[in-house]
Amino acid sequence: MKVSLNDNWRLLYRDLSVTKDQVLDVLEAGDYIDAGSLPCDAHMPLAGAGIIKDPVVADYSYACEWMERKSWWFRRDFAVSGADLARRGARLVLESLDLFADVFINGKFAGSHESAHYPFTADVKDLLREGGNSLLVRLTAGPERIAKEDYDYIADYVCTEYELGRGDRGEKTRSFLRKPQYVYGWDWGPRVATIGIMKNAWIDFPGSVVVTAVHPVVLEAKKEAKLRVEVEFESLLPISTQEADVTVELRHEGRTVLRESRGVLAQSGRNDVDFNLAVPGAKLWWPSGAGAQPLYEVTAAVRARDGECVSDPVRFGIRTVALNLEKYGDNDHRFAVQVNGVDIYCRGGDWIPADSVYARVSPGKYRALIQEAKECNFNMLRVWGGGIYERDEFYDYCDQYGILLWHDFMFACAMYPDDREWYRQLVRKEIDYQTKRLRRHPCIALWCGNNENQWLFEEYFTKEGKNRASGGLHIYNDIIPSIVRSNCPEIPYWRSSPYGGSMPNDNETGDRHHWRDCTMSDKMEDRINPEAYDLVTSRFVTEYGYIGPCSEATIAKYYGDNPVVRNDRIWNLHNNTFEKATVPEGIRRHYVDPENLSMADYLRYAGLVQGLMYNYSLEAIRFYPRNDGSLLWMYNDTWGEAGWTIIDYYLDRKPSYYYVKRAFAPVKFILRAPDKKNVRVMGINDTPEDQSMEMEYGYAGFDGKYSVSKIPVTLKAFSKAVVHEFPVPAMDLRRGVVFVRGGGAPLALLRTGAFREYAKAESTVSVLSVETKDGDYEVTVKSSGYSHAVCLALPADVHQDDAYFDMLPGDVRIVRVKDAEGKIEKSTIKPVYLVPGGGA
């Protein structure tokens, strides 16, 4: 029997000098404040009580730094019955404590804990009493426990923002702390040192048996699928055997598919029973765009003489996953994720925690972000190694919406003290727990050892006289692969990101972080030149990005009560470290001189440049024949800022969202003319069905005159290939565009220069009709000439199915506006757009 302790918490704080020796004084204190329900970070009740302001707003994060220098005492009073105490144990579980914790029941010490990445557990039966009880948890942020002489030997190999001029972001002790690394500040977020109880809390009162694990393993993903269901249970009779019946039940959409039972002689402690099952007519799970996402549930029940224990339902998908490392040549290999034996082109972005105060990310925010990723044609997110192992809802939504996960373990941009036995033990427990916890999810496509550690410190690891097995390598090369092999060998493991080849970040093997050639180049032209991405020859790009600002509405939110002033303290605080004047120079390169732009125009042009850079670069990466994946850095935000993302902290879409959606369209054409003479048309089909269509190609003049041809093409399922070549039209490319279109694929244009270089032309986009359909509006628009970046002038939180698209002369488009009925007056809907050689 499980008793939840998630509600009715209280909180107080004291100096760090108040330790577990003063626990009775803390219990008798009268200055507790209401902390509400779990998850709970100390920042949440303090902000609710008006003691601090929200640290993600304005510059209020600085005013919260005192919290790192206090001890935080979380209290939960609860009742226990005599029937509870009559059971065979009482197991307290605190699923995530951030960070150094001492736990007390009724003022008596129950244990300590040093990691946010696996649960605190303790048998507390002897500490409980019938009636009222108190659970008290003392927590501290972490750095106060790490002495300089302990961490100094690797301090030079812990990345901070100090070297980049932001001395307020970074913490040299962080690699000694098993907690989210990002909370001390990164280029894209502030220092908000988290402290709290970050997941669920409960007490188990078991009978004589308890189910401890149910692991469905897919052996064959076919029409008649083969599964092995591994049931682990514990017999709590310490010196006796007992008879037990173990039953597994497989269900789909509420209907029992299979049920099988077996009698066993249960021995004291751990017992393991495997069931081999054949599932006729199995419904296979596929990533988004490649098929459906049916989910099954399996439960295990163990019945003994004095009772029965039934597991929580374990939801899973019938699918297999593998890493295709087919050899092209010496040290030259493919890098493709295979699902059910099919190579899947991976389209997506990097995921970071969705709030600087990660405990307050709601199930609704998780769902919205995963839905938005699917809507943007993602089929993969990479869970970045400086964040957290997310709550269960995140993985459940990824399963539901078909979003594969490249999942880093939580090590990032630092060397780690794996020469210390105590640290290795923490890591072993973390990896063992998380792999067992997450292995059931069909969304888990690949485990990865860390973020950038081998790449950033390759000189250290290869330099003579150094211990090459330390600094984290023992973790990534020995500890993790051993545990993955034991707990979930069916899921591939990759040592790092980037990794592969003779040195990390190779192009010919493994994955690549494509930074130094483009956005993080010292040369401005490299940063703002989209054609630079035509040189990418990586097998799989897992990071690269371009910076763009948020909407005016979002900026107003993160300014709080302060007036919005460009380039003031708050503006620059919420500006990414690597922006370095890239945003205005991108505007200058592609659209207009930025100096005298209004705020609205500055944000508009900056958003269009970010969209252009993402759209062109993703297409360039995808165009390379041996590339099997492109993930942009990064998908979501931890606070509001001018940064890498395509959807902001408040869930508003940036203009770049729509550019990425088109770049990731599952059926599309990409045009390139590498010799400036002939246009190559790459046809892409990431769907499971062949796509046949009439393809139109040629030249569209801004004056409405076309020179076109048409041919039939068939794009094979799960394929990309050059399907046609034609000469670059002998036309004035300043007064028209080269295009391809066909079927449901987005309009494809050949980039021949910056938009600002086009000759002046006239065009008008008009609204022909606005119809209501299922609560949405369908807005029909028509363009008289060539119109660029066409969208409907609607608030940023109103979603269109497409926006910021180009229209050729005479084109008619239908734009669907979601949930518009009753919210938006039809007569107010107006298109905004750019025309060559001028504004809207």
Side-chain angles (χ1 to χ4, degrees):
M1 183 180 68
K2 180 186 289 188
V3 175
S4 172
L5 300 176
N6 279 356
D7 300 327
N8 301 314
W9 285 83
R10 292 183 288 159
L11 173 68
L12 61 74
Y13 62 90
R14 293 289 185 266
D15 290 339
L16 286 171
S17 59
V18 178
T19 67
K20 63 183 180 181
D21 296 332
Q22 287 81 47
V23 62
L24 296 180
D25 295 335
V26 174
L27 279 172
E28 294 173 0
D31 57 337
Y32 285 93
I33 64 171
D34 179 27
S37 301
L38 302 183
C40 181
D41 183 293
H43 293 84
M44 295 159 62
L46 263 64
I51 299 170
I52 63 170
K53 294 183 178 181
D54 191 330
V56 305
V57 174
D59 56 358
Y60 304 148
S61 58
Y62 294 124
C64 298
E65 290 182 359
W66 63 269
M67 295 176 65
E68 299 181 44
R69 300 183 290 276
K70 300 294 181 181
S71 60
W72 298 87
W73 301 76
F74 289 78
R75 177 172 178 168
R76 171 62 154 85
D77 297 331
F78 61 97
V80 172
S81 69
D84 294 333
L85 294 176
R87 298 178 75 86
R88 293 185 179 272
R91 182 171 175 260
L92 172 66
V93 180
L94 299 166
E95 207 173 1
S96 178
L97 296 174
D98 185 352
L99 181 59
F100 291 128
D102 294 313
V103 181
F104 307 88
I105 297 287
N106 297 324
K108 297 178 181 178
F109 183 63
S112 60
H113 200 62
E114 297 180 338
S115 175
H117 295 319
Y118 69 90
F120 169 86
T121 62
D123 189 338
V124 296
K125 183 176 181 180
D126 292 342
L127 303 180
L128 296 173
R129 59 195 176 210
E130 186 173 356
N133 292 264
S134 290
L135 167 61
L136 191 65
V137 182
R138 178 188 186 268
L139 284 163
T140 60
E144 78 286 343
R145 286 263 297 267
I146 311 300
K148 190 174 189 302
E149 54 267 27
D150 290 331
Y151 74 82
D152 204 43
Y153 75 108
I154 59 172
D156 290 343
Y157 303 99
V158 177
C159 293
T160 68
E161 299 300 291
Y162 305 161
E163 299 83 1
L164 299 171
R166 302 190 100 154
D168 55 334
R169 296 187 184 181
E171 177 57 61
K172 290 292 187 180
T173 66
R174 69 174 172 85
S175 65
F176 280 74
L177 306 176
R178 293 315 298 146
K179 68 181 290 176
Q181 303 284 272
Y182 82 103
V183 302
Y184 296 106
W186 226 265
D187 62 280
W188 38 261
R191 182 184 182 111
V192 181
T194 51
I195 310 162
I197 305 176
M198 304 311 199
K199 293 181 181 176
N200 300 311
W202 67 87
I203 298 178
D204 268 329
F205 294 98
S208 65
V209 290
V210 57
V211 178
T212 50
V214 180
H215 180 203
V217 181
V218 179
L219 304 176
E220 293 184 13
K222 298 179 179 178
K223 192 167 185 179
E224 181 171 276
K226 294 183 180 179
L227 312 180
R228 182 176 66 249
V229 178
E230 301 171 355
V231 180
E232 176 189 313
F233 72 94
E234 190 174 351
S235 172
L236 300 184
L237 303 182
I239 60 171
S240 306
T241 60
Q242 60 176 325
E243 299 292 337
D245 291 319
V246 183
T247 301
V248 294
E249 184 175 15
L250 183 69
R251 298 174 66 83
H252 175 62
E253 296 181 342
R255 181 179 64 86
T256 298
V257 177
L258 288 171
R259 192 171 187 274
E260 187 171 318
S261 297
R262 188 178 306 162
V264 299
L265 179 64
Q267 301 182 58
S268 305
R270 173 173 169 165
N271 293 260
D272 294 278
V273 182
D274 292 349
F275 292 83
N276 291 307
L277 306 177
V279 184
K283 302 180 185 300
L284 303 189
W285 186 97
W286 293 91
S288 179
Q293 294 81 45
L295 295 169
Y296 289 76
E297 283 187 350
V298 62
T299 56
V302 180
R303 180 179 291 109
R305 182 175 58 188
D306 67 347
E308 181 181 37
C309 180
V310 181
S311 72
D312 291 332
V314 173
R315 194 170 70 160
F316 73 103
I318 296 179
R319 69 94 180 91
T320 58
V321 64
L323 195 56
N324 182 354
L325 298 174
E326 173 190 352
K327 186 174 182 178
Y328 293 133
D330 288 343
N331 207 28
D332 184 358
H333 290 257
R334 190 170 187 181
F335 193 95
V337 173
Q338 278 188 348
V339 177
N340 302 328
V342 175
D343 293 319
I344 300 294
Y345 188 89
C346 294
R347 314 178 304 267
D350 292 276
W351 171 277
I352 62 168
D355 201 311
S356 292
V357 183
Y358 65 92
R360 66 181 175 185
V361 179
S362 67
K365 188 168 190 178
Y366 277 131
R367 182 169 191 161
L369 283 166
I370 302 307
Q371 280 183 317
E372 286 287 81
K374 179 184 176 71
E375 176 70 18
C376 198
N377 291 319
F378 282 28
N379 62 11
M380 175 175 273
L381 290 167
R382 172 176 168 248
V383 179
W384 172 71
I388 61 175
Y389 303 97
E390 296 285 353
R391 297 205 304 275
D392 291 342
E393 297 95 330
F394 171 78
Y395 302 97
D396 289 340
Y397 288 133
C398 288
D399 290 344
Q400 180 179 340
Y401 292 111
I403 303 299
L404 295 169
L405 295 179
W406 171 307
H407 205 303
D408 289 0
F409 292 105
M410 295 301 124
F411 307 91
C413 299
M415 289 178 56
Y416 288 85
D418 60 355
D419 55 337
R420 312 293 176 91
E421 177 57 28
W422 65 267
Y423 192 85
R424 295 196 298 271
Q425 287 300 327
L426 286 179
V427 169
R428 287 188 185 101
K429 292 176 181 178
E430 169 187 330
I431 305 303
D432 181 66
Y433 170 75
Q434 295 294 348
T435 51
K436 287 178 177 176
R437 171 187 167 230
L438 299 176
R439 63 192 176 184
R440 69 173 177 87
H441 289 279
C443 64
I444 300 292
L446 179 144
W447 300 117
C448 178
N450 66 78
N451 174 75
E452 296 189 342
N453 293 347
Q454 282 91 319
W455 177 42
L456 290 179
F457 308 114
E458 61 186 42
E459 181 180 353
Y460 173 90
F461 289 128
T462 57
K463 191 175 181 180
E464 292 300 326
K466 293 291 186 179
N467 180 359
R468 300 182 187 183
S470 67
L473 291 185
H474 181 58
I475 295 170
Y476 321 131
N477 297 347
D478 299 313
I479 293 176
I480 295 177
S482 296
I483 294 173
V484 169
R485 176 71 177 175
S486 175
N487 290 349
C488 47
E490 66 275 12
I491 300 173
Y493 170 65
W494 193 245
R495 295 303 193 266
S496 181
S497 180
Y499 178 77
S502 58
M503 295 297 283
N505 221 30
D506 196 352
N507 270 314
E508 285 69 42
T509 300
D511 72 306
R512 178 175 174 80
H513 291 191
H514 194 80
W515 286 117
R516 295 170 183 171
D517 297 327
C518 294
T519 308
M520 291 187 184
S521 170
D522 293 333
K523 299 176 181 178
M524 180 62 73
E525 178 59 23
D526 293 341
R527 295 185 228 161
I528 61 178
N529 176 25
E531 284 83 0
Y533 291 94
D534 286 324
L535 303 178
V536 175
T537 58
S538 171
R539 301 299 177 261
F540 200 110
V541 175
T542 38
E543 279 192 23
Y544 86 97
Y546 190 86
I547 291 168
C550 303
S551 67
E552 283 192 85
T554 285
I555 293 171
K557 288 176 184 176
Y558 69 65
Y559 259 78
D561 296 330
N562 304 282
V564 177
V565 179
R566 280 170 65 180
N567 296 317
D568 72 353
R569 172 184 168 87
I570 296 173
W571 182 277
N572 291 322
L573 180 64
H574 289 257
N575 199 30
N576 189 276
T577 302
F578 291 100
E579 191 274 328
K580 298 180 179 179
T582 301
V583 170
E585 289 308 309
I587 295 173
R588 187 190 315 280
R589 170 80 159 77
H590 298 287
Y591 287 103
V592 295
D593 294 341
E595 282 76 12
N596 297 314
L597 292 174
S598 67
M599 174 72 80
D601 283 342
Y602 178 86
L603 296 177
R604 180 187 185 190
Y605 283 117
L608 296 184
V609 174
Q610 188 189 33
L612 160 69
M613 295 297 292
Y614 273 143
N615 182 273
Y616 190 93
S617 57
L618 288 169
E619 289 190 345
I621 294 167
R622 208 171 173 188
F623 191 85
Y624 181 63
R626 291 185 175 182
N627 174 266
D628 282 292
S630 48
L631 309 181
L632 62 88
W633 181 270
M634 56 197 191
Y635 171 56
N636 62 309
D637 265 325
T638 195
W639 76 334
E641 75 155 23
W644 310 109
T645 62
I646 62 172
I647 187 168
D648 71 30
Y649 172 75
Y650 299 99
L651 303 182
D652 286 352
R653 295 173 177 178
K654 295 183 182 180
S656 56
Y657 177 94
Y658 296 97
Y659 285 83
V660 170
K661 180 179 180 180
R662 290 191 293 272
F664 280 156
V667 178
K668 71 180 279 95
F669 299 106
I670 301 173
L671 310 185
R672 289 295 185 269
D675 61 0
K676 308 296 184 184
K677 296 178 181 179
N678 295 289
V679 181
R680 293 181 184 173
V681 183
M682 174 77 78
I684 291 173
N685 179 13
D686 289 345
T687 76
E689 304 293 337
D690 291 355
Q691 303 286 330
S692 296
M693 66 195 73
E694 183 178 69
M695 187 183 82
E696 181 184 30
Y697 64 95
Y699 174 84
F702 296 157
D703 59 3
K705 295 179 180 178
Y706 282 80
S707 175
V708 301
S709 300
K710 297 179 181 181
I711 60 169
V713 297
T714 296
L715 308 179
K716 296 294 185 182
F718 298 116
S719 73
K720 67 175 178 179
V722 174
V723 296
H724 190 58
E725 291 192 28
F726 63 93
V728 174
M731 303 288 192
D732 188 345
L733 298 182
R734 293 181 63 253
R735 300 181 185 277
V737 293
V738 180
F739 74 96
V740 168
R741 58 184 169 190
L747 173 69
L749 299 179
L750 177 69
R751 178 176 166 82
T752 57
F755 182 80
R756 71 176 297 169
E757 296 169 356
Y758 282 141
K760 185 175 178 61
E762 300 296 329
S763 184
T764 300
V765 179
S766 54
V767 175
L768 300 183
S769 65
V770 181
E771 305 292 336
T772 302
K773 186 172 183 179
D774 300 327
D776 299 344
Y777 286 165
E778 289 189 344
V779 183
T780 302
V781 295
K782 182 176 182 178
S783 180
S784 65
Y786 171 62
S787 301
H788 174 60
V790 179
C791 67
L792 303 179
L794 298 171
D797 61 349
V798 175
H799 292 169
Q800 307 169 46
D801 67 346
D802 199 7
Y804 305 99
F805 50 83
D806 287 5
M807 298 182 73
L808 302 183
D811 276 1
V812 175
R813 285 282 306 267
I814 297 176
V815 179
R816 189 159 186 141
V817 183
K818 187 175 181 181
D819 300 326
E821 187 177 15
K823 290 170 52 178
I824 300 168
E825 176 60 43
K826 291 182 179 181
S827 62
T828 66
I829 297 176
K830 306 294 182 185
V832 293
Y833 51 95
L834 298 176
V835 297

